[in-house]
Amino acid sequence: MLMLATMPALAAQDSAKVARRAAVKSHLQQHFKFYGFVRNYFTYDSRELIAGTGDLYNYMPRDENWNQTVEEAAVSGVPREDLNDVSTFRFLSFTTRVGVNVVGYKWRRTEFSGKIEADFYIGLSAVGSQTHKLTGTAQLRLRQAYMTLGWDSLRMGKNNFARVELLMGQAWHPMAADLCDVISLNTGTPFGPFSRTPQVKMDAKLGKYVTLTAAGLWQMQYTSIGPDGQSAEYIAYSKTPEAYVGLSVQNKGFLMRAGVDVLSICPRHIGEVKDAAGNDVKVKVSDRITTYSPFLYLQYKHGEFSIKAKSVFAQAGEHLNMNGGYGVKAVRPDGSYEYTPTQTSSTWVSLVYGGKVGAQENKHPQKLQGIFFGGYVYNFGTMDPLATKDDGSLYGYYYPRVKNMNQMWRLSPTILYTVGKFQVGCEYEVTSVLYGDGKINPVNGLSQNGLHWVTNHRVQIMTKYNF
């Protein structure tokens, strides 16, 4: 009898547990959207590269590195060889990614959302004492972590409404948010900006077609160059956030975005002056260089066809992962320096065509796409002449990769096949650089003698499972 009496109570408890589990599950499904992918690259390169991330993130082929001169080879009897003309192959899966979007929270008229995204990154942990760039254990790293506050349906005139969104945290740089369509890990770098960085950004969508963007940004992973290499210290001593303002216009399948990035950094805060006896004395200095980098982005989509194009005129630009830097143009009596930036034009275009193929099923849609990418970079040199010492050497010329690059181009056709959540792609990428002999002309910061082209051929297969 006691058991019969307690059965309804036990059943009610079980129902309550089921209801609570269902409520938790519903809450997670409504507010937390998990995503990610497992990705593998199988890559062949015809020569040595300037690259990162296990050499998957390709910037450009390395310049020639001859073992001896023509005259030396004629005497030695040993063949003259370019030591960088060596092919390599690798396959890696450390670019696997995980993330979660948090959505659907609201308080009065304010909407709240957020994102945390991470992937695996090579080179942060080596095996034993091994420090080779292709050896080690991939570590989980932060890609994006930000929150957003949004205000919708803000009245703007009689018939139009505005939406304002405020983002705070680590996210894509506004100039790098529109990426080209390639399967390569570099996504077109260094022909276009590539940076995720701490920021406070406001997007104001005014009506249906126009969006204004303003942002204050800092540096963390992608940083400026200077006397001590690439570092976020130069912006820290400047005490001035990087600034961006932009305008976007969209209508149907067309999108136009234009903006300008302004960066002011302090490369040095300690310099030297001569005392009365001619000795060097360290003093505090207020070095500063301010650069301006405008850009234009165009996009058009119609049916199975899309075309994108971006062009950037960058002063310096190394903090955006592009080619560029700056040098000393004058030395002041107080020990401080004046600087002049390099000026570089970088442009890329990407086209995509393709749609559904074969028998279609709801759970396993099939798609075959053809992709083509083309990019071009031209180095105009420094804005002003570089300062030289009595022996003719430069006081300072800071460039993260190679100073003797005059221009470069890249072509990359790709075939991408998608079946449901699985993708496989094959990409051929040819990158060619016009190098000088390395002797910098202080008048314009260029290496214009001994010009020669150096080319790398990359063949890459990618497999990817999205979840």
Side-chain angles (χ1 to χ4, degrees):
M1 294 294 291
L2 180 61
M3 184 178 296
L4 292 175
T6 58
M7 284 180 64
L10 293 174
Q13 291 178 4
D14 290 340
S15 295
K17 289 181 180 179
V18 171
R20 284 196 297 269
R21 290 171 185 165
V24 171
K25 183 178 180 180
S26 175
H27 179 86
L28 291 174
Q29 291 177 341
Q30 289 179 8
H31 299 290
F32 295 85
K33 310 295 182 181
F34 294 92
Y35 67 92
F37 55 74
V38 178
R39 181 169 58 183
N40 293 275
Y41 283 109
F42 304 77
T43 306
Y44 166 85
D45 288 295
S46 64
R47 70 176 289 116
E48 297 281 8
L49 304 171
I50 298 173
T53 318
D55 277 357
L56 289 182
Y57 198 101
N58 172 32
Y59 292 104
M60 62 184 72
R62 289 191 180 275
D63 195 5
E64 296 172 341
N65 180 23
W66 296 102
N67 61 342
Q68 53 189 330
T69 66
V70 176
E71 293 77 13
E72 290 171 340
V75 175
S76 68
V78 177
R80 186 170 184 260
E81 297 177 318
D82 176 6
L83 301 181
N84 283 336
D85 187 14
V86 180
S87 59
T88 57
F89 176 77
R90 67 196 66 81
F91 62 89
L92 300 165
S93 61
F94 58 77
T95 58
T96 292
R97 186 177 305 168
V98 291
V100 58
N101 290 318
V102 184
V103 298
Y105 290 99
K106 190 171 183 178
W107 181 75
R108 295 185 178 177
R109 298 187 64 182
T110 304
E111 301 173 5
F112 299 89
S113 63
K115 176 191 284 286
I116 298 176
E117 183 179 87
D119 70 352
F120 292 92
Y121 193 75
I122 201 167
L124 301 184
S125 175
V127 177
S129 60
Q130 177 61 260
T131 58
H132 194 277
K133 60 185 177 181
L134 299 182
T135 307
T137 301
Q139 298 284 302
L140 193 67
R141 65 161 180 176
L142 177 71
R143 278 174 56 88
Q144 298 189 82
Y146 61 81
M147 62 172 292
T148 61
L149 285 72
W151 298 271
D152 212 346
S153 301
L154 302 176
R155 185 169 292 279
M156 187 183 69
K158 292 183 178 180
N159 300 316
N160 291 319
F161 294 88
R163 173 178 173 80
V164 175
E165 188 170 276
L166 184 66
L167 179 150
M168 293 177 286
Q170 163 113 344
W172 282 102
H173 193 290
M175 289 184 67
D178 302 298
L179 299 174
C180 58
D181 295 295
V182 295
I183 65 173
S184 179
L185 186 64
N186 58 36
T187 59
T189 307
F191 298 90
F194 186 100
S195 171
R196 294 178 301 274
T197 188
Q199 60 189 275
V200 177
K201 184 183 71 167
M202 183 207 69
D203 288 308
K205 187 173 183 180
L206 309 179
K208 296 180 179 179
Y209 310 113
V210 177
T211 301
L212 298 178
T213 301
L217 308 104
W218 209 246
Q219 294 184 2
M220 189 174 75
Q221 180 181 0
Y222 303 99
T223 56
S224 298
I225 191 73
D228 296 322
Q230 286 193 268
S231 171
E233 289 188 2
Y234 311 124
I235 192 172
Y237 282 104
S238 78
K239 301 175 287 294
T240 308
E242 179 183 350
Y244 170 86
V245 290
L247 167 71
S248 301
V249 178
Q250 58 182 352
N251 185 18
K252 297 181 179 179
F254 174 79
L255 170 64
M256 184 278 291
R257 204 184 316 275
V260 62
D261 180 74
V262 182
L263 176 65
S264 186
I265 60 172
C266 292
R268 301 184 315 152
H269 60 283
I270 296 177
E272 290 183 347
V273 296
K274 298 287 186 181
D275 64 9
N279 300 313
D280 291 327
V281 179
K282 293 186 181 298
V283 294
K284 291 189 290 185
V285 295
S286 56
D287 290 13
R288 183 176 291 271
I289 177 173
T290 302
T291 57
Y292 304 85
S293 299
F295 89 106
L296 176 67
Y297 173 77
L298 299 173
Q299 174 182 301
Y300 178 72
K301 293 184 178 182
H302 180 74
E304 299 175 2
F305 172 78
S306 73
I307 181 171
K308 300 177 181 179
K310 180 182 285 188
S311 186
V312 183
F313 186 80
Q315 290 187 334
E318 76 281 0
H319 68 293
L320 296 171
N321 229 4
M322 302 175 70
N323 290 301
Y326 58 93
V328 178
K329 74 172 183 179
V331 179
R332 298 191 184 105
D334 63 358
S336 62
Y337 290 166
E338 293 182 36
Y339 299 91
T340 179
T342 63
Q343 300 188 113
T344 306
S345 172
S346 302
T347 301
W348 61 256
V349 177
S350 72
L351 300 93
V352 179
Y353 181 79
K356 296 178 180 179
V357 298
Q360 299 301 308
E361 300 177 12
N362 292 333
K363 294 183 179 180
H364 302 288
Q366 301 173 50
K367 182 183 290 186
L368 179 65
Q369 293 175 300
I371 304 170
F372 180 79
F373 169 88
Y376 179 73
V377 173
Y378 189 85
N379 182 7
F380 291 95
T382 53
M383 189 173 177
D384 300 304
L386 296 166
T388 57
K389 302 178 182 178
D390 293 337
D391 61 2
S393 63
L394 302 176
Y395 272 91
Y397 192 20
Y398 313 117
Y399 213 97
R401 288 187 279 275
V402 287
K403 302 180 180 71
N404 60 327
M405 188 281 295
N406 284 267
Q407 54 183 297
M408 64 182 293
W409 58 265
R410 176 180 294 164
L411 298 176
S412 180
T414 305
I415 295 293
L416 180 63
Y417 182 61
T418 303
V419 181
K421 296 183 178 182
F422 173 76
Q423 290 182 307
V424 58
C426 182
E427 185 173 80
Y428 168 62
E429 180 187 276
V430 53
T431 306
S432 193
V433 180
L434 181 63
Y435 282 111
D437 61 7
K439 297 178 181 178
I440 303 298
N441 182 353
V443 174
N444 54 18
L446 293 173
S447 176
Q448 297 173 297
N449 297 322
L451 297 176
H452 55 281
W453 287 96
V454 177
T455 302
N456 177 65
H457 301 271
R458 165 172 283 200
V459 179
Q460 187 164 248
I461 294 174
M462 180 207 71
T463 62
K464 184 178 179 183
Y465 177 73
N466 298 285
F467 58 87

